[in-house]
Amino acid sequence: MEYDRCRLGAKGGIFSGFRGYAVALASVGLALVIRLALDPYLGDLGAYAPFYLAVVLTVWLGGSGPGLCASILGVLASSWFFIPPRHSFLFEKPADYAAAGLFLLASAIFVAFVQALRSALRSAEASADRAEQAGRALEESELRLKELNLQLESKVAERTARLRETVAKLEHVSYSLSHDMRAPLRAMHNFAELLLLDYSERIGGEGNAYLRQIVTAAERMDKLIKDTLAYGRAAHQDIALGHIDTDRLVRNLIESYPQLHAPGVEIRVEGTLPAVTGNAALLEQCFCNLFNNAVKFVARDTNPRIKVRSEQQGPIVRFWVEDNGIGIPKEAQERIFEMFERAAPEHEGSGIGLAIVRKAAELMGGKVGVQSKPGIGSRFWLELSSA
Ligand code: ADP
């Protein structure tokens, strides 16, 4: 490759400048010697034959200038030595002028052809060079990209581990805090109730109203803490997944919850619910929270009607809990699964129940969602793998 580049890349040939003209002289000289040697056999015939070869050789080795020079020398040598009248640069016949012109023309065409060939080869070489350089640059970029990817992956892994550690610590702190907050809260609640019981007359009507507000606020606060702790427990549970008889679990749950049998409440399980792979405690928590909400979020003059049903979708089971409640506005349907998010502030609640459902579903490898129309009702779904 390197050798070729030297040869073809040179402007004229491998002998450039003065050396190219020396090649012209040498090759014309050689052609002259050969033609002189053959002169007794050829006579006036083939005066230019060896000089054609001399021109070809000169053009190839010395380039276009020396090539043209060789062709002129060839004409002069032929006319002087071989074309009658010999030892003169003039010709006798017009055909001899034509032959000389043809020789010069052929030499010029050959020079042009070799030049064109050389420049085509040079540009092909330049393209090959550029392609080679681009290839090398691409390889280098790919290597660099791989290196950066590896660095990035290890950084992400390291930061994720640190983040997990921090989140675990934070969750632990918030869990302990919530737990420890309940004791003083209970004391405040109990003392407020004692005041209401024993000193109600001395405190007076306005004081009693304030005390009742303290009791209600403390109860609400206690519920909030209890729900937060329940979320923490769900999130930190070491869960073992296994075969769950969902139909039995749901029917037992309905049996054991008095609010689901309150007068006017109707709850119906459609068909036999299929078994799933999950965790009994988490699944019970999911249905319990969904049922409680279905009973709670109904308009004042409406009797809650709840339907539980299932759909098999390949290896997945989708459970539906449908109600005739107040419904949920479209823009709130996603955020209500976040902690402390609520869509109906006029109803009591902590905004944690659905966050627990989502966490529990995720821990069991499932998903949860809702379809709802305000004023008509909601359909919560829970997807799990079938057993
Ligand atoms: P909480 O019930 O304690 O407020 P949840 O996390 O269980 O908390 O529910 C979040 C919010 O989602 C509720 O405040 C309510 O606005 C809405 N919601 C949940 N279930 C229903 C339902 N079945 N019908 C209408 N709204 C609901």
Side-chain angles (χ1 to χ4, degrees):
M1 188 65 195
E2 280 304 306
Y3 166 73
D4 279 349
R5 189 170 299 159
C6 281
R7 188 163 60 101
L8 299 171
K11 250 197 163 174
I14 49 174
F15 301 110
S16 57
F18 168 74
R19 280 183 300 170
Y21 290 96
V23 168
L25 272 179
S27 52
V28 171
L30 185 66
L32 183 60
V33 169
I34 293 170
R35 182 61 182 79
L36 282 173
L38 295 174
D39 199 46
Y41 310 102
L42 295 175
D44 295 345
L45 291 173
Y48 293 103
F51 298 105
Y52 273 112
L53 290 176
V55 170
V56 169
L57 193 68
T58 308
V59 171
W60 190 252
L61 295 178
S64 48
L68 288 173
C69 174
S71 65
I72 292 166
L73 288 176
V75 170
L76 293 175
S78 300
S79 74
W80 187 265
F81 288 104
F82 310 114
I83 300 171
R86 295 195 176 202
H87 304 112
S88 152
F89 291 117
L90 297 173
F91 301 115
E92 269 177 8
K93 294 179 266 172
D96 293 335
Y97 284 101
L102 192 67
F103 176 72
L104 286 174
L105 182 69
S107 303
I109 289 172
F110 185 68
V111 165
F113 170 73
V114 171
Q115 276 304 102
L117 185 68
R118 280 218 171 94
S119 78
L121 284 172
R122 267 202 300 275
S123 76
E125 251 178 53
S127 308
D129 268 0
R130 278 199 298 276
E132 205 177 301
Q133 275 170 14
R136 271 203 300 274
L138 194 69
E139 263 172 34
E140 274 167 25
S141 317
E142 270 173 9
L143 270 176
R144 183 88 193 105
L145 199 68
K146 266 189 202 153
E147 244 171 57
L148 286 174
N149 251 345
L150 281 176
Q151 281 173 10
L152 197 70
E153 270 171 26
S154 81
K155 247 187 207 156
V156 168
E158 190 191 313
R159 288 196 183 156
T160 311
R162 273 217 303 264
L163 204 65
R164 278 217 185 99
E165 214 176 287
T166 313
V167 169
K169 273 186 199 154
L170 276 176
E171 280 179 345
H172 182 72
V173 169
S174 78
Y175 186 81
S176 335
L177 257 179
S178 313
H179 192 266
D180 295 349
M181 264 165 19
R182 285 194 78 197
L185 186 66
R186 234 177 282 132
M188 278 156 57
H189 174 266
N190 292 348
F191 280 119
E193 272 193 334
L194 277 177
L195 278 174
L196 272 174
L197 271 178
D198 299 343
Y199 298 91
S200 147
E201 275 174 23
R202 277 162 67 183
I203 291 171
E206 203 175 348
N208 275 310
Y210 288 156
L211 278 173
R212 268 192 294 278
Q213 274 179 15
I214 292 175
V215 169
T216 313
E219 278 167 358
R220 203 175 299 142
M221 181 80 174
D222 191 50
K223 163 119 180 52
L224 198 68
I225 294 173
K226 258 192 342 215
D227 285 353
T228 312
L229 287 172
Y231 180 85
R233 265 196 302 277
H236 288 100
Q237 239 174 69
D238 271 339
I239 55 150
L241 297 186
H243 179 283
I244 309 284
D245 181 347
T246 321
D247 196 67
R248 210 170 63 194
L249 181 141
V250 169
R251 288 177 199 277
N252 284 346
L253 178 72
I254 295 172
E255 281 287 301
S256 57
Y257 272 77
Q259 65 268 43
L260 299 177
H261 309 286
V265 176
E266 183 194 308
I267 181 159
R268 184 161 57 90
V269 180
E270 206 173 72
T272 306
L273 301 176
V276 289
T277 302
N279 175 279
L282 291 181
L283 192 57
E284 193 173 312
Q285 180 86 70
C286 288
F287 279 113
C288 181
N289 291 6
L290 293 178
F291 293 163
N292 275 335
N293 283 347
V295 174
K296 186 163 67 167
F297 294 105
V298 280
R300 226 173 255 285
D301 50 352
T302 311
N303 284 337
R305 263 186 293 112
I306 307 155
K307 185 162 88 181
V308 189
R309 62 183 183 88
S310 65
E311 254 173 34
Q312 189 76 41
Q313 299 178 343
I316 303 290
V317 179
R318 184 178 260 212
F319 297 107
W320 291 92
V321 177
E322 303 176 351
D323 65 45
N324 60 337
I326 55 172
I328 303 156
K330 185 109 194 99
E331 66 280 3
Q333 286 175 16
E334 185 50 45
R335 70 173 168 84
I336 51 169
F337 292 94
E338 304 289 335
M339 284 275 272
F340 308 118
E341 286 290 345
R342 302 169 62 207
E346 67 282 6
H347 287 76
E348 279 220 351
S350 58
I352 296 174
L354 290 179
I356 294 177
V357 174
R358 173 135 94 184
K359 190 75 193 172
E362 280 169 3
L363 288 170
M364 292 187 285
K367 284 190 223 159
V368 66
V370 68
Q371 297 172 354
S372 183
K373 279 214 172 102
I376 293 184
S378 307
R379 303 182 339 146
F380 281 85
W381 55 264
L382 170 66
E383 267 182 11
L384 292 171
S385 303
S386 25

